[in-house]
Amino acid sequence: MKKAVVIGAGPAGLMAAEELARADLSVVVTEAKTSVARKFLMAGKSGLNLTKDEPIEALMAAYDEAADWLRPMVTDFDAQAVQDWARELGQELFVGSSGRVFPKVMKASPLLRSWLHSLESLGVEVRTRHRWTGWREGQLLFATEQGEITLEADVTVLAMGGASWSRLGADGAWAEVLAGAGVSLAPFKASNAGLLMEWSDYMRDLFGQPVKGVAWSAGNVMAQGEAVISARGLEGGGIYSVCKAVREGAALHIDLMPDVSDADVAKRLSRPRGKVSLSNHLRKVLRLGPVRTGLLMEFARPLPSDARALAGLIKALPVKHVGLRPMDEAISTAGGVPHEELDAGLMLKRLPGVFCAGEMLDWEAPTGGYLLTACLATGRWAGRGAAQWIPQGC
């Protein structure tokens, strides 16, 4: 049997291994950590958002400038295909009101156990504590607890993740190896990262509180979504949706009343308030609640007395922050292997027989099912590409 080695036991790597095994190759999956799919399991702690149940055009829009080259892969393994795959592994799913798809158990571990059992039945071997360090005399080189070892492979799939959450295995160390082999790489950048804030003491009572009913805008990106106020800053889907624009230098604003027009906000603020304090007046006429009022006070004090000026701030409150959280604390990263370095099957042009998948590739998307969908889709595509290359390359 021809031998395939998949390096990285996350969703992309396991999907590639499945495709290679179904093509009757002998498959070994290696993982640097002591257990597999750690980031996948961590994502499952918040419910495991598998995909977004929406038409392909809406799905592809989430991938921005990478949509063109990702399109054939995601189209071939779209939101419906992801759901079918999970159900075949015995998982009951449900679709939330926003279109996000979750296992009914709201955990990743049952799906992972079933998947690993299926891979084992296909003959896939998983070896943990194997950190890939490059090649030696044409063979794959690994650092293990027993020292350096080599593995022979007729074809290789690299699926080692990006450069965030290094404690879970995605440390980006592979970039140095590929760069040394002549592969041009895009620099890593934090994606889906929280904002760092230097809060005043006024905000302490709001730590841990969710920010709801607002819209976030940065550059030409606007999205509604929640965030959480923490001692370090703001975290959550609403922030992640504008992360890329903020990273690229766009100013961030919050619309504290996205369902009410500027004119209506100004009209409400113009009501006579008598001897009532401004904060009580805001509470009565706008019903912002303590969290939105707290943000308004934090970023706009002293508040203007003019109703129109104050309405303008409420509809476009500038957020004073000190940048994104460090890349290692981001949910995902942009950067990595550009599509120009790959052929149509995701094989590295400079390294025949070596394919790449998942977050190693230079693409990014917001949370909400898009990340996992593309990881599964590119892993499947790379696995199939690798299996089809074997007759040509060997």
Side-chain angles (χ1 to χ4, degrees):
M1 295 178 69
K2 295 297 183 180
K3 299 176 182 178
V5 174
V6 177
I7 304 176
L14 295 179
M15 185 61 79
E18 182 175 329
E19 292 300 320
L20 288 161
R22 292 189 186 282
D24 295 326
L25 275 75
S26 172
V27 183
V28 173
V29 178
T30 66
E31 168 59 45
K33 293 295 185 178
T34 58
S35 58
V36 306
R38 288 189 167 193
K39 194 172 180 181
F40 181 74
L41 289 171
M42 178 64 77
K45 288 188 175 182
S46 59
L48 191 64
N49 187 184
L50 284 170
T51 190
K52 186 77 175 290
D53 190 14
E54 59 188 8
I56 189 64
E57 290 306 319
L59 195 67
M60 294 311 307
Y63 301 105
D64 206 0
E65 63 263 26
D68 286 344
W69 65 271
L70 285 175
R71 180 178 292 275
M73 305 165 210
V74 177
T75 300
D76 199 47
F77 200 67
D78 60 8
Q80 186 57 55
V82 171
Q83 294 175 72
D84 293 342
W85 164 79
R87 290 190 176 101
E88 287 174 4
L89 288 172
Q91 303 306 298
E92 292 186 63
L93 309 177
F94 74 92
V95 182
S97 58
S98 64
R100 296 182 179 188
V101 180
F102 301 88
K104 282 191 175 181
V105 294
M106 294 297 283
K107 294 179 182 178
S109 51
L111 172 59
L112 179 60
R113 283 195 299 269
S114 179
W115 196 5
L116 291 174
H117 178 75
S118 174
L119 290 172
E120 184 181 8
S121 70
L122 291 170
V124 174
E125 178 186 356
V126 178
R127 301 185 187 180
T128 57
R129 298 182 177 91
H130 279 55
R131 176 173 290 277
W132 180 63
T133 58
W135 290 271
R136 177 188 288 168
E137 298 179 354
Q139 295 191 330
L140 296 162
L141 183 63
F142 296 88
T144 74
E145 292 179 333
Q146 290 73 41
E148 287 190 335
I149 68 164
T150 58
L151 289 178
E152 184 180 351
D154 295 306
V155 69
T156 303
V157 176
L158 305 178
M160 290 171 281
S164 65
W165 292 16
S166 59
R167 64 189 177 87
L168 301 179
D171 57 13
W174 53 265
E176 185 176 349
V177 179
L178 291 189
V183 178
S184 296
L185 301 173
F188 291 119
K189 300 174 184 176
S191 182
N192 293 301
L195 275 181
L196 291 171
M197 314 292 292
E198 293 179 346
W199 299 118
S200 68
D201 289 340
Y202 178 86
M203 294 294 291
R204 288 184 180 276
D205 290 342
L206 296 178
F207 289 171
Q209 295 297 309
V211 183
K212 299 181 178 181
V214 303
W216 312 84
S217 62
N220 61 358
V221 180
M222 178 177 287
Q224 294 192 20
E226 294 186 14
V228 174
I229 300 172
S230 72
R232 297 184 63 194
L234 288 166
E235 188 87 36
I239 294 295
Y240 303 153
S241 62
V242 294
C243 174
K244 179 181 178 181
V246 171
R247 185 185 71 216
E248 294 177 350
L252 176 63
H253 293 82
I254 312 175
D255 183 346
L256 297 176
M257 300 182 70
D259 299 325
V260 182
S261 69
D262 296 56
D264 195 14
V265 173
K267 182 179 179 181
R268 296 185 193 184
L269 290 170
S270 298
R271 295 174 186 170
R273 76 180 203 208
K275 296 181 180 181
V276 175
S277 67
L278 180 55
S279 59
N280 279 332
H281 184 60
L282 288 173
R283 178 176 58 81
K284 289 182 177 181
V285 300
L286 299 183
R287 298 181 181 178
L288 290 179
V291 173
R292 289 184 291 174
T293 300
L295 291 172
L296 178 63
M297 295 296 186
E298 179 72 7
F299 297 130
R301 283 181 297 174
L303 299 181
S305 56
D306 178 74
R308 289 186 179 180
L310 182 53
L313 285 172
I314 289 168
K315 292 295 292 179
L317 180 66
V319 178
K320 302 166 189 174
H321 60 86
V322 291
L324 298 177
R325 292 178 70 166
M327 185 164 61
D328 192 46
E329 298 177 15
I331 290 177
S332 60
T333 52
V337 181
H339 76 279
E340 292 87 358
E341 290 287 321
L342 303 157
D343 71 4
L346 295 181
M347 184 175 74
L348 287 166
K349 295 175 182 177
R350 296 178 184 273
L351 298 171
V354 180
F355 293 72
C356 295
E359 287 191 56
M360 283 184 66
L361 307 177
D362 182 20
W363 59 274
E364 64 180 312
T367 57
Y370 303 110
L371 291 170
L372 188 50
T373 296
C375 284
L376 293 170
T378 56
R380 183 171 182 264
W381 193 267
R384 288 189 169 185
Q388 291 169 6
W389 182 83
I390 285 282
Q392 306 169 39
C394 301

